[in-house]
Amino acid sequence: MNKFMKLAIAEARTGIRAGHGGPFGCVIVKDGEVIGRGHNEVVKQTDPTCHGEVMAIRDACRNIGRFDLSGCELYTTAEPCPMCAGAIRWANISRVYYGCSISDTDSIGFRDLQFYTEESDISEELDRTECLDLFAEYRAIKEKTQY
């Protein structure tokens, strides 16, 4: 068994035994060292965004003091949902290893599969001009500060 997946499984067990949420644990590794870990805390935090991958990304970013996790690997007990996959991409994580598939997750009562199979149109553009003004303000500030 891979040592990092073993840590992800242990992280998930900690969470499910404490009643924090589902069996989803995660570790993030940089140059062979764990820099972040997390497990599902949706129930504990009453927050649907507190998936194991998101919690591990937050932990890793705090630990290294930046939001760019380029060169990192992520080990997780289940295939990332669309939200987590997006967070992984935003963090620039280089490689993802997962234990169970979306179908496996579906088989224990989680609804990840529906996000891949059902269409949903709940979005509508509103007040674009005002928001474009906000974007222009941001661009001007960014050009001055170059952060």
Side-chain angles (χ1 to χ4, degrees):
M1 170 180 259
N2 178 280
K3 69 180 181 178
F4 298 122
M5 186 59 78
K6 188 174 182 176
L7 292 172
I9 292 168
E11 188 67 34
R13 277 203 174 100
T14 296
I16 63 172
R17 289 176 179 169
H20 293 173
F24 310 108
C26 181
V27 296
I28 297 175
V29 176
K30 174 83 171 172
D31 299 325
E33 290 192 38
V34 175
I35 62 165
R37 58 182 68 230
H39 60 263
N40 185 290
E41 294 189 29
V42 169
V43 174
K44 178 184 177 188
Q45 303 289 341
T46 59
D47 180 344
T49 68
C50 289
H51 290 195
E53 296 91 340
V54 171
M55 301 305 285
I57 289 169
R58 290 174 182 167
D59 187 49
C61 290
R62 269 191 307 270
N63 289 336
I64 66 169
R66 63 179 196 268
F67 56 83
D68 185 350
L69 300 177
S70 293
C72 291
E73 298 174 334
L74 183 145
Y75 295 79
T76 183
T77 56
E79 186 174 355
C81 73
M83 177 186 71
C84 292
I88 289 163
R89 287 183 179 258
W90 278 111
N92 297 313
I93 291 170
S94 301
R95 191 78 179 145
V96 175
Y97 299 97
Y98 62 88
C100 294
S101 70
I102 293 293
S103 295
D104 297 326
T105 303
D106 185 65
S107 75
I108 61 167
F110 288 86
R111 59 191 180 114
D112 299 36
L113 191 58
Q114 89 176 47
F115 296 110
Y116 292 97
T117 57
E118 293 179 10
E119 288 192 32
S120 175
D121 188 14
I122 61 170
S123 298
E124 178 180 342
E125 188 174 80
L126 180 67
D127 296 327
R128 182 171 186 262
T129 301
E130 291 79 4
C131 292
L132 285 172
D133 291 343
L134 173 68
F135 280 25
E137 180 182 338
Y138 169 78
R139 185 180 306 115
I141 290 170
K142 186 176 177 189
E143 287 171 359
K144 283 183 184 178
T145 59
Q146 290 299 315
Y147 61 89

